[in-house]
Amino acid sequence: MDDLFLRAVRCETTPRPPVWLMRQAGRYLKEYRDLKEKYSFLELCKQPDLASRITLLPIQKFSFDAAILFADILLILETIRRKISFGEDQGPRVEPLQNPADVFRCVPEPIPTAMAPIGETIKILKKELKVPLLGFAGAPFTLATYLIEGKTSKDFLLTKKWMYRHPEAFHRLLRLLTDQTIEYLKFQIESGVDAVQIFDSWAGILPYPLLHPFSLYYLGEIIQALKPFRIPVILFARGSSLFGRELALLRPEAISLDSSGDLLKIAEILPPEIALQGNFDPDLLIAPEETLRNELLRILRGIKNRPGYIVNLGHGVKPESRVENVRCLVETVKNMSY
Ligand code: CP3
């Protein structure tokens, strides 16, 4: 296996930084949109032959240095018996918990049976791939926002109301989600993934005093539970540019940074033994190629002497992104003289 990505996650010196993109298999690809004509998003996630094919699409097309399992962070909510759906253009919908007392009635299903298709997809991919495969899960706090709001929220007012008025039920929910997530990530590791990424997409909405008790505490538990498996854990959070130091205290192998901070300054303050990933503005994928290339070269030159940098975006590839720009990004990383 070409392990450039794994060496960079472990902060070993590499001839160049590896590159992969969050949402590298998605709607900006015509091949993906064609499949969506025939199958729903949930069907694509749950049919191992399709999910593995989609995972491979961007690897075959652009030669990324790592693949990420095609699935979604919300699938795990079905294992606590909530219905989920993905409509066209309106984002995901989750059958919301109507009141805090519902939490105490949640009975989780065992992961290996409920998530069997995901295990199958991983096994198919491990036979096909020559680059490392990333598994992933949503962070408990981010999953909780979907369970409470029922969708991607603008102000997260229901979530905040639960946190302030029903902290006991909220923590019970986070406990449940943490335990399920640990089981899910262990299952992915046992099925064959080479590293995992945890997405705390909405941690950034928490006021600072609530960040640790409602998000970081549970992230730390997940990271500790996975240590015996010796598999790299990458933490992504929107807001990570602001609270990278707090994330570093949880001892993940890598932190995936959003686009709001200065990568080079953040690199100076975070411990050198933690790899950094991302920070590149996703909207450069709709910019003129020259703008994209110049900005990328600036970052690559600036970070060159720090072992442990993985090229990625500050958030996922948007559907409007240009395929040519994605190709330009990968080629710029691969062809720069280091
Ligand atoms: O990165 C990858 O290519 C792997 C697959 C992956 C998807 N979602 C596929 C997807 C991963 C890692 C995710 C993570 C995910 N899902 C997150 C965390 C990262 C982030 O974006 O902050 C979140 C919050 C979700 C929940 C979710 N799923 C949302 C908010 C949406 C709608 C927004 C959107 O981009 O469409 C989805 C749908 C979704 N997940 C799609 C894909 C390819 C689009 C589905 C479609 O084709 O209609």
Side-chain angles (χ1 to χ4, degrees), residues 20 22 197-200 234-248 254-270 274-282 299 303 306 308-316:
W20 72 278
M22 294 185 263
Q197 179 154 323
I198 303 170
F199 289 90
D200 209 349
I234 307 172
L235 261 189
F236 165 84
R238 248 183 292 174
S240 52
S241 292
L242 274 178
F243 50 81
R245 260 191 281 217
E246 285 79 351
L247 293 178
I255 295 176
S256 198
L257 297 161
D258 66 28
S259 302
S260 57
D262 180 337
L263 175 69
L264 305 181
K265 287 203 189 111
I266 297 170
E268 278 171 24
I269 59 168
L270 292 188
I274 293 187
L276 300 179
Q277 172 177 280
N279 180 257
F280 201 62
D281 180 10
I299 290 183
I303 200 92
R306 187 197 198 270
Y309 175 64
I310 299 153
V311 180
N312 205 319
L313 307 174
H315 200 213

Side-chain angles (χ1 to χ4, degrees), residues 5 12 51 150 172 197 219 229 250 252 275 304 313 322 336:
F5 166 80
E12 291 169 24
R172 178 74 174 250
Q197 179 154 323
L219 288 172
F229 293 87
L250 308 176
K304 205 164 87 178
L313 307 174
R322 297 174 73 237
M336 185 180 133

Side-chain angles (χ1 to χ4, degrees), residues 71-79 82 84-86 92-94 115 136 138 142-143 146-147 152:
D72 197 86
I73 64 163
L74 301 179
L75 297 182
I76 199 171
L77 301 182
E78 290 187 327
T79 73
R82 308 313 295 180
I84 58 173
S85 62
F86 295 82
R93 288 284 184 272
V94 178
M115 293 305 214
F136 68 90
T142 289
L143 293 174
Y146 282 97
L147 277 169
T152 303

Side-chain angles (χ1 to χ4, degrees), residues 162-175:
W162 270 52
M163 281 195 300
Y164 282 123
R165 301 187 72 98
H166 309 285
E168 202 191 320
F170 205 114
H171 281 292
R172 178 74 174 250
L173 180 59
L174 293 170
R175 168 90 272 129

